Amino acid sequence: MNESYAKNKPAYGDIEVETIFDTQRNHYQIVHLGWHHNRWVHHCVMHLDIRNGKIWIFYNSTEHDIAADLVILGVPKQDIVLGFYPPFMREMSDYAVG
């Protein structure tokens, strides 16, 4: 996961952008946390894992197409899994099923 995705700070509230990169276990997340008015904000913005040599995209609430960005960087589509889709839907995509 590229840290440039973490540069987009919300325009509202006193929100931090936190990167969680666990390179030993291959878990990568970007989280927003802080206060907006009197309400606590804790939101996972992006979650990717590397499992069995494939990049699994589990969550993406940004406007960036992470899978397309990875392809542009040279990652083959068969090495990218859209984990937020059920397996039967993944079979209809150009990406890996799992």
Side-chain angles (χ1 to χ4, degrees), residues 2-96:
N2 188 322
E3 286 195 40
S4 66
Y5 294 114
K7 291 181 181 177
N8 297 329
K9 184 177 175 179
Y12 59 87
D14 185 19
I15 307 294
E16 294 178 42
V17 180
E18 185 174 282
T19 56
I20 304 168
F21 294 172
D22 180 351
T23 56
Q24 280 189 317
R25 293 175 194 86
N26 295 316
H27 304 296
Y28 304 89
Q29 293 186 18
I30 296 175
V31 177
H32 287 172
L33 60 130
W35 292 95
H36 179 56
H37 300 295
N38 291 327
R39 184 172 177 200
W40 176 248
V41 174
H42 186 273
H43 173 68
C44 178
V45 178
M46 197 176 288
H47 177 186
L48 286 78
D49 281 2
I50 300 173
R51 297 182 176 190
N52 299 320
K54 296 192 184 306
I55 299 171
W56 285 72
I57 302 171
F58 287 115
Y59 190 73
N60 177 17
S61 68
T62 73
E63 60 191 37
H64 299 283
D65 184 343
I66 302 169
D69 290 350
L70 290 168
V71 170
I72 290 168
L73 291 171
V75 178
K77 285 185 175 184
Q78 64 266 20
D79 290 342
I80 301 169
V81 181
L82 304 178
F84 50 85
Y85 287 142
F88 77 91
M89 287 184 67
R90 288 185 225 144
E91 291 175 1
M92 295 182 263
S93 77
D94 290 338
Y95 297 98

